[in-house]
Amino acid sequence: MNAVGAVAPRPAVPRSGEFFAPLPLVALALMVVNDVWLKPAFHSALTGKLSDVAVCFVLPLFISELFGLLLGMAPRARLLAGALITAAVYTAQEIVPPFTRLALAILEAIGPRIGISRRFQLTSDWTDLFCLLLIPLAVAYGTRRLRRSLDSRS
């Protein structure tokens, strides 16, 4: 409490803007364009991998940003949490059939509520696990954004 009896606000955790930044938003746009237009039109190995690449780059940054905004987590901790959650969920979705079915059930339940009426598909392909290499790149990108944010404040 301060001198007048009001509760002092918590000091703000520095935000790095890891998700709301050009590269993750371009990757997100690529994923949407790929899933909505390119996959139905071309359905090739390339269109199958594009979304996986984008997800493995975007999701750790999205989770990190969410943890920063909702939980006030420190940037390095939330980047690590985003990376670990993404790696675990993505890997499970690729190689654990019951998890894949659960993920599809969740998507089928949420989809219509957000305006997606088409049927969801998740194709398990062990070669998709190479996309996990994008997660450390996402963490490096988020870390770089954090450094820039901290440098601009000093």
Side-chain angles (χ1 to χ4, degrees):
M1 287 199 188
N2 61 21
V4 289
V7 175
R10 275 188 337 188
V13 173
R15 288 193 57 246
S16 64
E18 60 268 31
F19 178 71
F20 295 106
L23 194 54
L25 294 177
V26 166
L28 180 63
L30 171 66
M31 185 173 62
V32 170
V33 166
N34 185 55
D35 286 350
V36 173
W37 292 294
L38 299 178
K39 276 185 183 180
F42 302 108
H43 195 69
S44 67
L46 176 62
T47 61
K49 295 289 186 249
L50 277 177
S51 292
D52 294 329
V53 166
V55 162
C56 285
F57 184 78
V58 168
L59 194 56
L61 299 171
F62 177 73
I63 292 169
S64 176
E65 190 86 34
L66 215 62
F67 283 0
L69 293 171
L70 299 178
L71 305 176
M73 284 178 70
R76 285 189 179 89
R78 68 181 191 235
L79 278 167
L80 179 60
L84 293 174
I85 291 168
T86 300
V89 169
Y90 185 81
T91 301
Q93 177 258 287
E94 289 294 332
I95 64 173
V96 181
F99 189 87
T100 305
R101 288 191 295 275
L102 173 64
L104 280 170
I106 291 169
L107 289 171
E108 294 290 339
I110 293 172
R113 290 181 171 85
I114 60 172
I116 301 172
S117 57
R118 66 178 172 81
R119 192 167 189 280
F120 287 91
Q121 294 179 316
L122 293 174
T123 306
S124 293
D125 178 356
W126 286 70
T127 65
D128 289 346
L129 295 178
F130 286 112
C131 295
L132 291 170
L133 296 172
L134 274 287
I135 295 173
L137 292 176
V139 171
Y141 179 83
T143 301
R144 193 181 92 203
R145 297 266 317 158
L146 171 62
R147 274 195 215 113
R148 278 191 191 163
S149 176
L150 291 175
D151 289 347
S152 69
R153 290 181 187 176
S154 1

